[in-house]
Amino acid sequence: MKIKILVVGCGNMGASHATAYHLSPEFEIIGLVSRGESKVKLNESLGTDYALFDDFDIALTTTNPDAVCISTYPDTHEEYAVKSFEAGAHVFIEKPLADTVIGAQRVIDAAVKANKKLVVGYILRHHPSWMKFIEVGKTLGTPLVFRMNLNQQSHGYMWDVHRNLMKSLSPIVDCGVHYIDVMCQMTEAKPVQVTAIGARLTNDIPTDNYNYGQLQIRFADGSVGWYEAGWGPMISETAFFVKDVIGPKGSASIVAKEASGTGKSDSVEAHTQTESIRVHYADIDAKNAFTRPDEWLDLQDEPNHQELCNREQAFFLKAIHENIDLSKSMQDALNSLKIALACDESVKTGQVVFL
């Protein structure tokens, strides 16, 4: 039996997920939902004639789906997910899970009550190079130091996307949940406090939001990390891509030689490219000379953005068919959102936030 799926939100990620379902013989798209014309353009790009809906509630009751894919703006995530579970559907939802911690918990509670699967779109969890990066990071000792950013010189269509996102979320929340999740997987220690700063560099966004932010996290094992995210036409591309972890035994760095090139900072495709992992060993001899050369890990399996989305949806299918227990992944998604929103609070209050 094919999984009948309703795709809600047909922008960047929604279109990629819809493509994954379209290519899979085990999914059947029964409707595309969006408020604008993106659903029409998606139908055209896929060469299909899927049913189109402007209204989510009408689509849900009309199609009676087995599963719902939610890739809308974050302020609708909680409502759409809860209604989908109440209608008896499994849910794949783009990160962040919701735009509040309480809302995210409600979504999880609804999934548990309905006994349906909830998979959150943490795309890096399906990327072999990021999985390897985390694996190597765990071998570097304790405490760990995390250095990560994803600044985007957004322009054209992507500036429209980012401005719309900033109606409900800041860059360090929207993007930060990915990298906070990576940090938490590497250390597995409890985060204890966060601090963050931010700046509003444009009048094109709400007065209570900011388009540049940097957060710092302290963990119970002494590990510390920072993450930086900025969106907008004023952002420098030279500060685009940093992905490092440092421990007592050495360090590991993602080196995206091509993906970090000029003009690619706001490319969705470039964000998931890793290309190489450089592993540095801290071992030294009596003269303080390094005893081991740096090692370059070039993984042969380097999926592009669409292939990563295909793998996410293959996992969603597997979770449904094999009744996989997703309790930990749901809790991890809640935890990373909780940390990111605490950082948002720190920007706006100027205070340290204890977790």
Side-chain angles (χ1 to χ4, degrees), residues 27-46:
F27 281 105
E28 178 187 351
I29 296 175
I30 54 173
L32 303 176
V33 186
S34 76
R35 292 171 179 168
E37 291 300 301
S38 59
K39 58 185 176 291
V40 177
K41 294 176 182 176
L42 179 55
N43 241 348
E44 290 173 354
S45 69
L46 293 175

mmCIF file with all atom_site columns, all heavy atoms in Angstrom, residues 27-46:
data_model
loop_
_atom_site.group_PDB
_atom_site.id
_atom_site.type_symbol
_atom_site.label_atom_id
_atom_site.label_alt_id
_atom_site.label_comp_id
_atom_site.label_asym_id
_atom_site.label_entity_id
_atom_site.label_seq_id
_atom_site.pdbx_PDB_ins_code
_atom_site.Cartn_x
_atom_site.Cartn_y
_atom_site.Cartn_z
_atom_site.occupancy
_atom_site.B_iso_or_equiv
_atom_site.pdbx_formal_charge
_atom_site.auth_seq_id
_atom_site.auth_comp_id
_atom_site.auth_asym_id
_atom_site.auth_atom_id
_atom_site.pdbx_PDB_model_num
ATOM 1   N N   . PHE A 1 27 ? 5.267  6.316  -2.155  1.00 0.00 ? 27 PHE A N   1
ATOM 2   C CA  . PHE A 1 27 ? 4.435  7.453  -1.751  1.00 0.00 ? 27 PHE A CA  1
ATOM 3   C C   . PHE A 1 27 ? 3.509  7.831  -2.901  1.00 0.00 ? 27 PHE A C   1
ATOM 4   O O   . PHE A 1 27 ? 3.841  7.658  -4.079  1.00 0.00 ? 27 PHE A O   1
ATOM 5   C CB  . PHE A 1 27 ? 5.293  8.675  -1.408  1.00 0.00 ? 27 PHE A CB  1
ATOM 6   C CG  . PHE A 1 27 ? 5.934  8.632  -0.046  1.00 0.00 ? 27 PHE A CG  1
ATOM 7   C CD1 . PHE A 1 27 ? 7.291  8.363  0.079   1.00 0.00 ? 27 PHE A CD1 1
ATOM 8   C CD2 . PHE A 1 27 ? 5.191  8.881  1.102   1.00 0.00 ? 27 PHE A CD2 1
ATOM 9   C CE1 . PHE A 1 27 ? 7.899  8.334  1.324   1.00 0.00 ? 27 PHE A CE1 1
ATOM 10  C CE2 . PHE A 1 27 ? 5.787  8.847  2.348   1.00 0.00 ? 27 PHE A CE2 1
ATOM 11  C CZ  . PHE A 1 27 ? 7.143  8.581  2.469   1.00 0.00 ? 27 PHE A CZ  1
ATOM 12  N N   . GLU A 1 28 ? 2.362  8.375  -2.557  1.00 0.00 ? 28 GLU A N   1
ATOM 13  C CA  . GLU A 1 28 ? 1.434  8.916  -3.553  1.00 0.00 ? 28 GLU A CA  1
ATOM 14  C C   . GLU A 1 28 ? 0.995  10.302 -3.080  1.00 0.00 ? 28 GLU A C   1
ATOM 15  O O   . GLU A 1 28 ? 0.337  10.428 -2.040  1.00 0.00 ? 28 GLU A O   1
ATOM 16  C CB  . GLU A 1 28 ? 0.215  8.015  -3.710  1.00 0.00 ? 28 GLU A CB  1
ATOM 17  C CG  . GLU A 1 28 ? -0.812 8.558  -4.703  1.00 0.00 ? 28 GLU A CG  1
ATOM 18  C CD  . GLU A 1 28 ? -2.101 7.748  -4.718  1.00 0.00 ? 28 GLU A CD  1
ATOM 19  O OE1 . GLU A 1 28 ? -2.138 6.668  -4.086  1.00 0.00 ? 28 GLU A OE1 1
ATOM 20  O OE2 . GLU A 1 28 ? -3.065 8.202  -5.356  1.00 0.00 ? 28 GLU A OE2 1
ATOM 21  N N   . ILE A 1 29 ? 1.397  11.339 -3.804  1.00 0.00 ? 29 ILE A N   1
ATOM 22  C CA  . ILE A 1 29 ? 0.985  12.704 -3.461  1.00 0.00 ? 29 ILE A CA  1
ATOM 23  C C   . ILE A 1 29 ? -0.493 12.867 -3.799  1.00 0.00 ? 29 ILE A C   1
ATOM 24  O O   . ILE A 1 29 ? -0.920 12.614 -4.928  1.00 0.00 ? 29 ILE A O   1
ATOM 25  C CB  . ILE A 1 29 ? 1.823  13.747 -4.222  1.00 0.00 ? 29 ILE A CB  1
ATOM 26  C CG1 . ILE A 1 29 ? 3.298  13.661 -3.806  1.00 0.00 ? 29 ILE A CG1 1
ATOM 27  C CG2 . ILE A 1 29 ? 1.287  15.156 -3.977  1.00 0.00 ? 29 ILE A CG2 1
ATOM 28  C CD1 . ILE A 1 29 ? 4.223  14.578 -4.584  1.00 0.00 ? 29 ILE A CD1 1
ATOM 29  N N   . ILE A 1 30 ? -1.279 13.284 -2.815  1.00 0.00 ? 30 ILE A N   1
ATOM 30  C CA  . ILE A 1 30 ? -2.726 13.441 -3.041  1.00 0.00 ? 30 ILE A CA  1
ATOM 31  C C   . ILE A 1 30 ? -3.148 14.905 -2.979  1.00 0.00 ? 30 ILE A C   1
ATOM 32  O O   . ILE A 1 30 ? -4.334 15.209 -3.104  1.00 0.00 ? 30 ILE A O   1
ATOM 33  C CB  . ILE A 1 30 ? -3.542 12.605 -2.027  1.00 0.00 ? 30 ILE A CB  1
ATOM 34  C CG1 . ILE A 1 30 ? -3.133 12.939 -0.591  1.00 0.00 ? 30 ILE A CG1 1
ATOM 35  C CG2 . ILE A 1 30 ? -3.392 11.123 -2.314  1.00 0.00 ? 30 ILE A CG2 1
ATOM 36  C CD1 . ILE A 1 30 ? -4.000 12.279 0.456   1.00 0.00 ? 30 ILE A CD1 1
ATOM 37  N N   . GLY A 1 31 ? -2.174 15.802 -2.799  1.00 0.00 ? 31 GLY A N   1
ATOM 38  C CA  . GLY A 1 31 ? -2.508 17.216 -2.814  1.00 0.00 ? 31 GLY A CA  1
ATOM 39  C C   . GLY A 1 31 ? -1.312 18.090 -2.494  1.00 0.00 ? 31 GLY A C   1
ATOM 40  O O   . GLY A 1 31 ? -0.420 17.677 -1.748  1.00 0.00 ? 31 GLY A O   1
ATOM 41  N N   . LEU A 1 32 ? -1.281 19.275 -3.094  1.00 0.00 ? 32 LEU A N   1
ATOM 42  C CA  . LEU A 1 32 ? -0.279 20.296 -2.798  1.00 0.00 ? 32 LEU A CA  1
ATOM 43  C C   . LEU A 1 32 ? -1.011 21.511 -2.228  1.00 0.00 ? 32 LEU A C   1
ATOM 44  O O   . LEU A 1 32 ? -2.003 21.968 -2.802  1.00 0.00 ? 32 LEU A O   1
ATOM 45  C CB  . LEU A 1 32 ? 0.473  20.698 -4.072  1.00 0.00 ? 32 LEU A CB  1
ATOM 46  C CG  . LEU A 1 32 ? 1.185  19.599 -4.863  1.00 0.00 ? 32 LEU A CG  1
ATOM 47  C CD1 . LEU A 1 32 ? 1.783  20.184 -6.139  1.00 0.00 ? 32 LEU A CD1 1
ATOM 48  C CD2 . LEU A 1 32 ? 2.263  18.930 -4.022  1.00 0.00 ? 32 LEU A CD2 1
ATOM 49  N N   . VAL A 1 33 ? -0.499 22.027 -1.111  1.00 0.00 ? 33 VAL A N   1
ATOM 50  C CA  . VAL A 1 33 ? -1.165 23.137 -0.437  1.00 0.00 ? 33 VAL A CA  1
ATOM 51  C C   . VAL A 1 33 ? -0.201 24.310 -0.295  1.00 0.00 ? 33 VAL A C   1
ATOM 52  O O   . VAL A 1 33 ? 0.925  24.147 0.185   1.00 0.00 ? 33 VAL A O   1
ATOM 53  C CB  . VAL A 1 33 ? -1.641 22.732 0.983   1.00 0.00 ? 33 VAL A CB  1
ATOM 54  C CG1 . VAL A 1 33 ? -2.472 23.851 1.605   1.00 0.00 ? 33 VAL A CG1 1
ATOM 55  C CG2 . VAL A 1 33 ? -2.413 21.423 0.946   1.00 0.00 ? 33 VAL A CG2 1
ATOM 56  N N   . SER A 1 34 ? -0.633 25.486 -0.723  1.00 0.00 ? 34 SER A N   1
ATOM 57  C CA  . SER A 1 34 ? 0.110  26.722 -0.443  1.00 0.00 ? 34 SER A CA  1
ATOM 58  C C   . SER A 1 34 ? -0.837 27.898 -0.602  1.00 0.00 ? 34 SER A C   1
ATOM 59  O O   . SER A 1 34 ? -1.857 27.798 -1.287  1.00 0.00 ? 34 SER A O   1
ATOM 60  C CB  . SER A 1 34 ? 1.316  26.878 -1.375  1.00 0.00 ? 34 SER A CB  1
ATOM 61  O OG  . SER A 1 34 ? 0.921  27.280 -2.667  1.00 0.00 ? 34 SER A OG  1
ATOM 62  N N   . ARG A 1 35 ? -0.473 29.014 0.015   1.00 0.00 ? 35 ARG A N   1
ATOM 63  C CA  . ARG A 1 35 ? -1.343 30.191 -0.069  1.00 0.00 ? 35 ARG A CA  1
ATOM 64  C C   . ARG A 1 35 ? -1.139 30.948 -1.375  1.00 0.00 ? 35 ARG A C   1
ATOM 65  O O   . ARG A 1 35 ? -2.010 31.682 -1.814  1.00 0.00 ? 35 ARG A O   1
ATOM 66  C CB  . ARG A 1 35 ? -1.062 31.111 1.122   1.00 0.00 ? 35 ARG A CB  1
ATOM 67  C CG  . ARG A 1 35 ? -1.490 30.507 2.450   1.00 0.00 ? 35 ARG A CG  1
ATOM 68  C CD  . ARG A 1 35 ? -0.999 31.328 3.614   1.00 0.00 ? 35 ARG A CD  1
ATOM 69  N NE  . ARG A 1 35 ? -1.424 30.764 4.906   1.00 0.00 ? 35 ARG A NE  1
ATOM 70  C CZ  . ARG A 1 35 ? -0.960 31.148 6.074   1.00 0.00 ? 35 ARG A CZ  1
ATOM 71  N NH1 . ARG A 1 35 ? -0.030 32.097 6.133   1.00 0.00 ? 35 ARG A NH1 1
ATOM 72  N NH2 . ARG A 1 35 ? -1.379 30.591 7.192   1.00 0.00 ? 35 ARG A NH2 1
ATOM 73  N N   . GLY A 1 36 ? 0.027  30.791 -1.979  1.00 0.00 ? 36 GLY A N   1
ATOM 74  C CA  . GLY A 1 36 ? 0.341  31.509 -3.209  1.00 0.00 ? 36 GLY A CA  1
ATOM 75  C C   . GLY A 1 36 ? 0.417  30.595 -4.413  1.00 0.00 ? 36 GLY A C   1
ATOM 76  O O   . GLY A 1 36 ? -0.211 29.525 -4.459  1.00 0.00 ? 36 GLY A O   1
ATOM 77  N N   . GLU A 1 37 ? 1.224  31.002 -5.387  1.00 0.00 ? 37 GLU A N   1
ATOM 78  C CA  . GLU A 1 37 ? 1.307  30.294 -6.662  1.00 0.00 ? 37 GLU A CA  1
ATOM 79  C C   . GLU A 1 37 ? 2.382  29.208 -6.684  1.00 0.00 ? 37 GLU A C   1
ATOM 80  O O   . GLU A 1 37 ? 2.565  28.546 -7.709  1.00 0.00 ? 37 GLU A O   1
ATOM 81  C CB  . GLU A 1 37 ? 1.590  31.303 -7.783  1.00 0.00 ? 37 GLU A CB  1
ATOM 82  C CG  . GLU A 1 37 ? 0.428  32.243 -8.070  1.00 0.00 ? 37 GLU A CG  1
ATOM 83  C CD  . GLU A 1 37 ? -0.828 31.480 -8.486  1.00 0.00 ? 37 GLU A CD  1
ATOM 84  O OE1 . GLU A 1 37 ? -0.763 30.754 -9.493  1.00 0.00 ? 37 GLU A OE1 1
ATOM 85  O OE2 . GLU A 1 37 ? -1.845 31.597 -7.775  1.00 0.00 ? 37 GLU A OE2 1
ATOM 86  N N   . SER A 1 38 ? 3.096  29.018 -5.559  1.00 0.00 ? 38 SER A N   1
ATOM 87  C CA  . SER A 1 38 ? 4.192  28.041 -5.554  1.00 0.00 ? 38 SER A CA  1
ATOM 88  C C   . SER A 1 38 ? 3.715  26.635 -5.886  1.00 0.00 ? 38 SER A C   1
ATOM 89  O O   . SER A 1 38 ? 4.427  25.856 -6.519  1.00 0.00 ? 38 SER A O   1
ATOM 90  C CB  . SER A 1 38 ? 4.922  28.056 -4.206  1.00 0.00 ? 38 SER A CB  1
ATOM 91  O OG  . SER A 1 38 ? 4.025  27.758 -3.144  1.00 0.00 ? 38 SER A OG  1
ATOM 92  N N   . LYS A 1 39 ? 2.491  26.303 -5.495  1.00 0.00 ? 39 LYS A N   1
ATOM 93  C CA  . LYS A 1 39 ? 1.953  24.957 -5.785  1.00 0.00 ? 39 LYS A CA  1
ATOM 94  C C   . LYS A 1 39 ? 1.740  24.760 -7.280  1.00 0.00 ? 39 LYS A C   1
ATOM 95  O O   . LYS A 1 39 ? 1.939  23.664 -7.808  1.00 0.00 ? 39 LYS A O   1
ATOM 96  C CB  . LYS A 1 39 ? 0.655  24.724 -5.006  1.00 0.00 ? 39 LYS A CB  1
ATOM 97  C CG  . LYS A 1 39 ? -0.443 25.723 -5.276  1.00 0.00 ? 39 LYS A CG  1
ATOM 98  C CD  . LYS A 1 39 ? -1.645 25.477 -4.378  1.00 0.00 ? 39 LYS A CD  1
ATOM 99  C CE  . LYS A 1 39 ? -2.716 26.546 -4.565  1.00 0.00 ? 39 LYS A CE  1
ATOM 100 N NZ  . LYS A 1 39 ? -2.267 27.865 -4.050  1.00 0.00 ? 39 LYS A NZ  1
ATOM 101 N N   . VAL A 1 40 ? 1.341  25.816 -7.965  1.00 0.00 ? 40 VAL A N   1
ATOM 102 C CA  . VAL A 1 40 ? 1.145  25.747 -9.418  1.00 0.00 ? 40 VAL A CA  1
ATOM 103 C C   . VAL A 1 40 ? 2.486  25.538 -10.114 1.00 0.00 ? 40 VAL A C   1
ATOM 104 O O   . VAL A 1 40 ? 2.630  24.688 -11.010 1.00 0.00 ? 40 VAL A O   1
ATOM 105 C CB  . VAL A 1 40 ? 0.468  27.035 -9.934  1.00 0.00 ? 40 VAL A CB  1
ATOM 106 C CG1 . VAL A 1 40 ? 0.325  26.982 -11.457 1.00 0.00 ? 40 VAL A CG1 1
ATOM 107 C CG2 . VAL A 1 40 ? -0.888 27.239 -9.273  1.00 0.00 ? 40 VAL A CG2 1
ATOM 108 N N   . LYS A 1 41 ? 3.487  26.306 -9.676  1.00 0.00 ? 41 LYS A N   1
ATOM 109 C CA  . LYS A 1 41 ? 4.830  26.186 -10.251 1.00 0.00 ? 41 LYS A CA  1
ATOM 110 C C   . LYS A 1 41 ? 5.421  24.807 -9.982  1.00 0.00 ? 41 LYS A C   1
ATOM 111 O O   . LYS A 1 41 ? 6.100  24.230 -10.836 1.00 0.00 ? 41 LYS A O   1
ATOM 112 C CB  . LYS A 1 41 ? 5.743  27.268 -9.682  1.00 0.00 ? 41 LYS A CB  1
ATOM 113 C CG  . LYS A 1 41 ? 5.335  28.675 -10.082 1.00 0.00 ? 41 LYS A CG  1
ATOM 114 C CD  . LYS A 1 41 ? 6.215  29.726 -9.411  1.00 0.00 ? 41 LYS A CD  1
ATOM 115 C CE  . LYS A 1 41 ? 5.762  31.133 -9.784  1.00 0.00 ? 41 LYS A CE  1
ATOM 116 N NZ  . LYS A 1 41 ? 6.547  32.171 -9.062  1.00 0.00 ? 41 LYS A NZ  1
ATOM 117 N N   . LEU A 1 42 ? 5.136  24.252 -8.791  1.00 0.00 ? 42 LEU A N   1
ATOM 118 C CA  . LEU A 1 42 ? 5.642  22.925 -8.454  1.00 0.00 ? 42 LEU A CA  1
ATOM 119 C C   . LEU A 1 42 ? 5.001  21.868 -9.348  1.00 0.00 ? 42 LEU A C   1
ATOM 120 O O   . LEU A 1 42 ? 5.698  20.978 -9.864  1.00 0.00 ? 42 LEU A O   1
ATOM 121 C CB  . LEU A 1 42 ? 5.371  22.621 -6.974  1.00 0.00 ? 42 LEU A CB  1
ATOM 122 C CG  . LEU A 1 42 ? 5.819  21.261 -6.464  1.00 0.00 ? 42 LEU A CG  1
ATOM 123 C CD1 . LEU A 1 42 ? 7.301  21.024 -6.732  1.00 0.00 ? 42 LEU A CD1 1
ATOM 124 C CD2 . LEU A 1 42 ? 5.517  21.130 -4.968  1.00 0.00 ? 42 LEU A CD2 1
ATOM 125 N N   . ASN A 1 43 ? 3.708  21.956 -9.556  1.00 0.00 ? 43 ASN A N   1
ATOM 126 C CA  . ASN A 1 43 ? 3.024  21.031 -10.465 1.00 0.00 ? 43 ASN A CA  1
ATOM 127 C C   . ASN A 1 43 ? 3.658  21.090 -11.857 1.00 0.00 ? 43 ASN A C   1
ATOM 128 O O   . ASN A 1 43 ? 3.899  20.059 -12.490 1.00 0.00 ? 43 ASN A O   1
ATOM 129 C CB  . ASN A 1 43 ? 1.542  21.389 -10.562 1.00 0.00 ? 43 ASN A CB  1
ATOM 130 C CG  . ASN A 1 43 ? 0.637  20.261 -10.101 1.00 0.00 ? 43 ASN A CG  1
ATOM 131 O OD1 . ASN A 1 43 ? 1.067  19.121 -9.913  1.00 0.00 ? 43 ASN A OD1 1
ATOM 132 N ND2 . ASN A 1 43 ? -0.632 20.570 -9.910  1.00 0.00 ? 43 ASN A ND2 1
ATOM 133 N N   . GLU A 1 44 ? 3.952  22.298 -12.317 1.00 0.00 ? 44 GLU A N   1
ATOM 134 C CA  . GLU A 1 44 ? 4.547  22.477 -13.645 1.00 0.00 ? 44 GLU A CA  1
ATOM 135 C C   . GLU A 1 44 ? 5.949  21.876 -13.695 1.00 0.00 ? 44 GLU A C   1
ATOM 136 O O   . GLU A 1 44 ? 6.299  21.194 -14.674 1.00 0.00 ? 44 GLU A O   1
ATOM 137 C CB  . GLU A 1 44 ? 4.592  23.970 -13.999 1.00 0.00 ? 44 GLU A CB  1
ATOM 138 C CG  . GLU A 1 44 ? 3.231  24.577 -14.265 1.00 0.00 ? 44 GLU A CG  1
ATOM 139 C CD  . GLU A 1 44 ? 3.284  26.081 -14.457 1.00 0.00 ? 44 GLU A CD  1
ATOM 140 O OE1 . GLU A 1 44 ? 4.392  26.666 -14.273 1.00 0.00 ? 44 GLU A OE1 1
ATOM 141 O OE2 . GLU A 1 44 ? 2.243  26.687 -14.768 1.00 0.00 ? 44 GLU A OE2 1
ATOM 142 N N   . SER A 1 45 ? 6.744  22.112 -12.658 1.00 0.00 ? 45 SER A N   1
ATOM 143 C CA  . SER A 1 45 ? 8.124  21.613 -12.665 1.00 0.00 ? 45 SER A CA  1
ATOM 144 C C   . SER A 1 45 ? 8.179  20.096 -12.589 1.00 0.00 ? 45 SER A C   1
ATOM 145 O O   . SER A 1 45 ? 9.087  19.471 -13.145 1.00 0.00 ? 45 SER A O   1
ATOM 146 C CB  . SER A 1 45 ? 8.915  22.230 -11.506 1.00 0.00 ? 45 SER A CB  1
ATOM 147 O OG  . SER A 1 45 ? 8.459  21.750 -10.249 1.00 0.00 ? 45 SER A OG  1
ATOM 148 N N   . LEU A 1 46 ? 7.198  19.497 -11.917 1.00 0.00 ? 46 LEU A N   1
ATOM 149 C CA  . LEU A 1 46 ? 7.145  18.039 -11.823 1.00 0.00 ? 46 LEU A CA  1
ATOM 150 C C   . LEU A 1 46 ? 6.455  17.408 -13.036 1.00 0.00 ? 46 LEU A C   1
ATOM 151 O O   . LEU A 1 46 ? 6.509  16.191 -13.213 1.00 0.00 ? 46 LEU A O   1
ATOM 152 C CB  . LEU A 1 46 ? 6.414  17.619 -10.542 1.00 0.00 ? 46 LEU A CB  1
ATOM 153 C CG  . LEU A 1 46 ? 7.098  17.944 -9.205  1.00 0.00 ? 46 LEU A CG  1
ATOM 154 C CD1 . LEU A 1 46 ? 6.192  17.566 -8.035  1.00 0.00 ? 46 LEU A CD1 1
ATOM 155 C CD2 . LEU A 1 46 ? 8.437  17.235 -9.088  1.00 0.00 ? 46 LEU A CD2 1
#
